[in-house]
Amino acid sequence: MTGSDLAVVLESLRPAPGSGGMVGADARRCARALGVDGVAVSVTLGSGLTELLWSTPGTSTQLEDLQFTLGQGPGPEVAASGTAVSVPDLSLEPAGRWPALLADALALGVGAVFCLPLDVGGACLGVMTLQRAEAGPLEERSLADAWIVTNALTAALVQNPEPWAAFAAAEDTSHFYRAAVHQAAGMISVQADVSLAEALIRLRAHAFRHGRPLIEVADDVVARRVHFRHDDGDEPGVRGRRRD
């Protein structure tokens, strides 16, 4: 960890021009400054939907996708509670805490994970997740620096609320990382006459039942290969050839 890396990251924590609200800083440099292997930032959009704004490629992005698909993990826990979660050794976590997540997260090579809320007046706007392959607590200096980065991120996003405004206004979200999921949840909400939150639950349940990535199932919904009927318990209707 170097002070110069942290200074550069803090200086560049602002939305990149034309990025739709994406953070402009180098995620790899941020991870290096904080003494971890990867970092990711997701913001909450309401009704259980989140959007990945910024991450190091590989394990951090995969962990975010896994948590989003399953709807559980340290990130969703922080988003719901607004309280930081520290897991210095993921292999020692009780199986019942995140039963669908733990085995897959460990298989990704995640040994430790630390999640901090992007908090504004008690409201959690999103979560910054730090992950490391090696188990062990985050050093006190690194934790203090992580809070500095989190606060700077929160300030940058509050000053540029485009991700939330675009989604709330139902504007084009094609530039979003999870654009297909946002669109699919809206379609399911109409097809099944349920709330957006319930639509996302049904989408997740279908993906989990068939062992498929959530984004892949969402693509099927958007392409109208899968249709969620207006009922409570039946399997969604499928048009064309299934891919699972």
Side-chain angles (χ1 to χ4, degrees), residues 21 25 32 46 97 104 106 122 147 160 217 233:
R32 185 167 64 244
R97 187 174 188 182
D104 286 342
L106 289 168
W147 278 112
N160 183 55
V217 176

Side-chain angles (χ1 to χ4, degrees), residues 30 84 90 100 150 209 243:
C30 181
L90 198 62
T150 301
R209 186 180 303 121
R243 293 186 293 171

Side-chain angles (χ1 to χ4, degrees), residues 162-176 179 182:
E162 181 180 342
W164 299 281
F167 187 80
E171 295 176 1
D172 177 24
T173 57
S174 60
H175 61 280
F176 280 9
H182 304 320

Side-chain angles (χ1 to χ4, degrees), residues 102-205:
L102 283 174
D104 286 342
L106 289 168
L108 286 177
V110 179
V113 61
F114 312 94
C115 296
L116 307 179
L118 275 60
D119 179 82
V120 175
C124 185
L125 301 183
V127 179
M128 183 172 78
T129 299
L130 313 176
Q131 63 82 19
R132 194 174 57 207
E134 182 180 355
L138 199 61
E139 293 182 3
E140 186 175 340
R141 170 69 180 275
S142 294
L143 180 59
D145 288 345
W147 278 112
I148 292 173
V149 173
T150 301
N151 292 335
L153 273 167
T154 303
L157 292 173
V158 166
Q159 291 168 12
N160 183 55
E162 181 180 342
W164 299 281
F167 187 80
E171 295 176 1
D172 177 24
T173 57
S174 60
H175 61 280
F176 280 9
Y177 177 73
R178 296 185 176 121
V181 177
H182 304 320
Q183 187 175 353
M187 292 174 66
I188 294 168
S189 177
V190 173
Q191 291 168 2
D193 191 22
V194 296
S195 68
L196 196 59
E198 173 64 22
L200 183 59
I201 290 173
R202 293 189 181 202
L203 185 64
R204 280 175 169 148

Side-chain angles (χ1 to χ4, degrees), residues 25-68:
D26 183 345
R28 290 187 182 90
R29 191 165 197 166
C30 181
R32 185 167 64 244
L34 299 178
V36 294
D37 295 327
V39 59
V41 175
S42 289
V43 293
T44 58
L45 299 174
S47 300
L49 288 169
T50 62
E51 176 61 21
L52 179 63
L53 287 190
W54 186 55
S55 70
T56 49
T59 302
S60 285
T61 302
Q62 292 167 355
L63 179 61
E64 290 296 299
D65 285 343
L66 182 63
Q67 293 186 95
F68 182 70

